[in-house]
Structure formats: structure tokens, C-alpha cells
Amino acid sequence: MTLMDRTAVLEIRNPADDSIVGSVETAGPDSVATVLAAAKRAAPGWAATPAAERGAAVKKAAGMVRDQRRELAALIEAETGKPRSEAEEGVLAGVGTLEQYAELGPVHRGRSLLGDPRATDLMVPEPRGVVAALTPWNDPVAVACGLLGAALVSGNTVVHKPSERCPHTGSRLGGLLSRAFPEGVLQTVQGDGEVGAELAASRDVDLIAHVGGTAAGRSIAASAARTGAKALLENGGNDPLIVDTDVDVGWAAAQAATGVFANSGQICVAVERIYVHQEIAEAFLSALVKEAESRELAPLVDKRHRDGVHAQVTEALAQGAEPLSGGVLPDGPGAFYPATVLAGCTSAMRVVNEETFGPVAPVCVVPDFEQALRQAADGEYGLAATVLTSSMAHAQRAWRELPVGTVKINNVFGGAPGGAAHPRGASGSGYGYGPELLDEMTQTKVVHLATPGP
């Protein structure tokens, strides 16, 4: 269910044409307290539910989302600008994740220890209690389903706050999922960062799972330190791409364009900065410009976000970057921004050293792989990195030396199912997705069971 107060109203406009999608009231302090109290009451009963039954409920919820995938995709498109076909792919990815955790949850296991033969020693996973899940707008169903599925199948109750940029999507998703669970097990509240901060500060919350920006993540971590809750954070990234001298330039430019321009650059593991060897820089830039000019991008999520992207580009141009493509605000309605390629970039520019989260490719030319690796490793973020190279020696060095949670060699978005790397530094902490997420959603109890008497 969704509980809301009269505190404020979120008005959502379609980023393609500025038309009003709708408005949603946000939760006030009384509603947040009521929802958390209901989650806390429901927690013992849900924790005591057999794991197989919890898994069956999550699987049932997945089926409900699958049945309404087109409606959810339409809402995602209207609120965030994500093309409907891609939005539906994201919904189905969320369905797949729910189904994965429905299977993994019941076989998540502890260990028995080898102690005194007259006793039994166990390490048993137990749910943490109440989980506050704060999820983003850029892939709202897929990301939410991962956190919600893992939390619920592990026996936790969940209060979910979707992003204030896609409240209608979050409300509809919550309404579908909650039908599969007892009252109080899964609830949705609406609101902006103030509501998220209120959830994070509550002593009724045992784990805060947040996917979003680094500033919010740091605030959540500080709240968790005060309350004793666990903070599970996947936050901002500034992912580098290294282009070695021995690769096909056309292929490398296509890889770079995919990494930078997919979902208009609004992906946590998007390519945010490019280091290309000077021997192939001219040919690479030419090919990358052709890639950029051939792409018609969906709008950014809103004009406020577009203003932030354009501010970084404008600053870089003032500092000497050369605009090879894009970089100009388009006329007309909506929050559109062109595929942008900037040459002559340096690490002094914000567009290189901060997260942009838009369709901007800042390119830095380097004299050798050594410097590319050194500059790619520099910075406060540690989410992911990509290296395009034909050299096994360079590939081995890259994955060992880059201080990030995920390293991809020769494929910007490659990876097997079930991967769950640790983000580092300003990018967060804890496993996201994969079987390891079940470990994050549980806590271990050690049991020593001895027989009585001498």
C-alpha cells in the first residue's frame, strides 16, 4: 500500500514535451512513522515464514510485474524519457531478477562448524528486520526489483521510496508487488530527499539500501552511523575508458559511443571519461564524432538535470576543451541534449573529474598506456572501468591495478549473469545484486548447542 500526507506535491512533466504527467503527494513525518511501525509489526511473522513460501511469494510478484510490463514501460517513458522499448526491457530485467531471488532465497544457507563432537555449532543467516530501499529513476523497475527481491526473500520487511522523478512508476510497481505479500511486508512511500533522509535517520530501520548519487549516499552513511543500521550503497561513478594503440579504431569508437550515449548517458556504469593513445587519437576522434552525429538521443530526465550536464560542458569549453560535436542546448520543448564529443580535455575539468551522467564524451590524449592507466586510476570514485586492448599484458595490469569494483576488458557493458562487485570510494560499499546480495540482506547468528550435564 501507499501512505501519503499533505506535506508537498511532486509534479512530474514529460521530458520529451514538457506536458504534465501527473502529481503525487509526498509522505509527511506521520505517514513515515506509520509505515515504519507497520513494517516493524510485520517483521517477526515474515521472518518466521518458511523460506520456500517467501520464494513462492516473490515469484508470484514477478509474474504480476511481467503481466503489466507494457503499462510500467509507458509510465517509465512518460516520467523519465527512456524509450518505451528500452523501458520494457528494463521491466523484464526486473522480472528476471525477482525470479532469480525467488530461486536463490530458499537455498541461501549457513554453515556448520567442527567443534566438540558432543555439541552442534552453527552459523545461521537471519533477516536484518526492516529495510528502507531508496531507488533511482534511470532504470526504476530493474534496480528496485533487485533490492526488493533480495530483501523480501531473505525475510525482511521493506519500505520502498522510489525516486521523486518517477513516483507514478514507483507507485504502480509497489501496488503490484505488495499484492503477493502479507500486510505490512512491502510498502511504498513517496517523496524527495527529505523523506529519504527521514527513513535513513529512523531507529526503526535496520538496513538502508540506496542506489543514487554520492552526496545522498554520504548523508545516508552518516545517518546509519548514528542509528546502527547497515548502509548498502551504490552511488555515483566516473568510469574511465582506456583505448590502447593496438585496437581497431572504428570498433573502439563504437564501443565508446555505446558506453557514453546509451540511455543518453544516464547509466551508473556509463563511460564518463576517455583516455586514448596519441598514435590513434586523431582517427579515433573522427570515428567517435561520426558515431555521435549518427545518434538521435532520448531526452534527459528533466531540465534541471540537463542544466547540470550543460554546466560541466560550458566550463570545459571555457577551460580550453574543443567541441567536436554537440555541446549546444537545442531549441524547443523537452530536456533533450545532443551527443557531445569534447577533445583536448584535462583532469582539471569537472567534466573529467566528476560524474556528468549525460551524453558527453570528454577525451584525453595520452602518450602511452602507462599514463592512461595512471590517470584512469585517479579520482575519488571506484565503480567500474573499461579497457580496450589487444595486449594480454596490458589487460592483466589493468584489471589488477584499477581501483574499481568492476573491470571490463574489450566490452563496455559485458559481464556474465549474477555478477556482484563491490563499489569503492565515493561510489559506495557492499555487494549489489548476485547471490552475495542475500548475504548483505541477512546477519549471521553463531549457535553453540551443547548437551547438559558433566
Side-chain angles (χ1 to χ4, degrees):
M1 66 178 177
T2 303
L3 296 175
M4 295 174 290
D5 266 341
R6 299 176 298 278
T7 307
V9 174
L10 301 172
E11 183 181 82
I12 304 301
R13 291 182 178 270
N14 189 313
D17 59 13
D18 297 332
S19 62
I20 294 178
V21 176
S23 60
V24 174
E25 292 185 18
T26 68
D30 289 345
S31 286
V32 171
T34 298
V35 167
L36 287 172
K40 196 167 185 177
R41 285 194 304 271
W46 184 240
T49 301
E53 292 183 23
R54 297 197 302 255
V58 172
K59 189 169 185 178
K60 179 181 178 182
M64 294 176 179
V65 175
R66 185 189 299 277
D67 290 343
Q68 300 301 319
R69 62 188 181 276
R70 292 184 178 86
E71 179 189 355
L72 285 164
L75 284 171
I76 293 169
E77 181 182 44
E79 292 194 296
T80 73
K82 194 181 187 80
R84 191 167 306 192
S85 61
E86 295 179 20
E88 187 169 339
E89 289 176 5
V91 173
L92 290 174
V95 170
T97 303
L98 288 172
E99 292 174 339
Q100 178 189 54
Y101 286 123
E103 298 294 328
L104 288 174
V107 296
H108 186 230
R109 63 194 67 184
R111 290 187 291 165
S112 61
L113 305 175
L114 300 178
D116 190 317
R118 294 168 297 178
T120 299
D121 290 272
L122 304 171
M123 295 176 66
V124 182
E126 295 183 330
R128 290 183 176 272
V130 177
V131 172
L134 313 177
T135 60
W137 50 264
N138 59 319
D139 204 353
V141 172
V143 174
C145 284
L147 294 178
L148 301 184
L152 291 164
V153 81
S154 301
N156 301 283
T157 56
V158 179
V159 175
H160 176 213
K161 191 198 83 67
S163 168
E164 62 269 29
R165 283 175 159 136
C166 56
H168 297 89
T169 302
S171 179
R172 183 58 177 144
L173 176 65
L176 289 169
L177 293 174
S178 64
R179 296 177 191 173
F181 304 99
E183 184 176 357
V185 170
L186 174 61
Q187 302 168 91
T188 303
V189 294
Q190 301 286 8
D192 56 13
E194 185 176 343
V195 176
E198 193 170 344
L199 287 168
S202 173
R203 294 190 180 275
D204 288 331
V205 171
D206 301 290
L207 184 149
I208 311 153
H210 174 251
V211 178
T214 293
R218 285 173 168 162
S219 176
I220 288 165
S223 292
R226 289 190 291 269
T227 65
K230 178 181 175 62
L232 179 61
L233 308 172
E234 184 188 305
N235 296 154
N238 187 25
D239 294 2
L241 169 68
I242 295 175
V243 184
D244 208 351
T245 187
D246 56 0
V247 297
D248 179 85
V249 169
W251 168 77
Q255 283 282 311
T258 297
V260 173
F261 303 133
N263 198 36
S264 300
Q266 300 168 123
I267 301 175
C268 60
V269 290
V271 170
E272 294 270 343
R273 49 194 171 120
I274 299 171
Y275 301 98
V276 60
H277 196 287
Q278 63 186 9
E279 291 183 11
I280 61 169
E282 184 176 350
F284 172 81
L285 283 166
S286 178
L288 183 56
V289 168
K290 289 180 181 178
E291 289 280 351
E293 292 175 346
S294 71
R295 293 174 184 253
E296 185 175 341
L297 302 183
L300 301 183
V301 67
D302 57 29
K303 289 182 177 178
R304 175 166 58 93
H305 181 59
R306 184 180 70 171
D307 288 345
V309 171
H310 189 57
Q312 287 196 13
V313 171
T314 301
E315 287 179 23
L317 296 178
Q319 292 173 302
E322 180 184 358
L324 301 185
S325 178
V328 178
L329 285 175
D331 296 327
F336 293 92
Y337 200 76
T340 298
V341 178
L342 303 178
C345 293
T346 70
S347 58
M349 300 173 181
R350 278 207 306 143
V351 77
V352 173
N353 62 44
E354 293 185 10
E355 183 177 46
T356 305
F357 219 65
V360 180
V363 180
C364 305
V365 177
V366 293
D368 51 38
F369 185 81
E370 188 77 30
Q371 184 166 325
L373 196 59
R374 184 166 57 251
Q375 290 185 224
D378 188 33
E380 64 174 345
Y381 295 97
L383 197 56
T386 304
V387 179
L388 307 181
T389 182
S390 295
S391 166
M392 181 59 71
H394 285 177
Q396 291 282 4
R397 281 197 62 194
W399 80 257
R400 292 182 185 278
E401 295 180 23
L402 288 169
V404 298
T406 300
V407 179
K408 297 162 286 185
I409 308 295
N410 294 329
N411 194 335
V412 289
F413 290 139
H422 270 134
R424 304 179 186 185
S427 292
S429 60
Y431 281 110
Y433 308 107
E436 292 82 2
L437 184 53
L438 298 174
D439 296 329
E440 302 283 7
M441 294 293 181
T442 55
Q443 52 195 347
T444 299
K445 178 176 286 182
V446 177
V447 180
H448 175 71
L449 182 60
T451 56

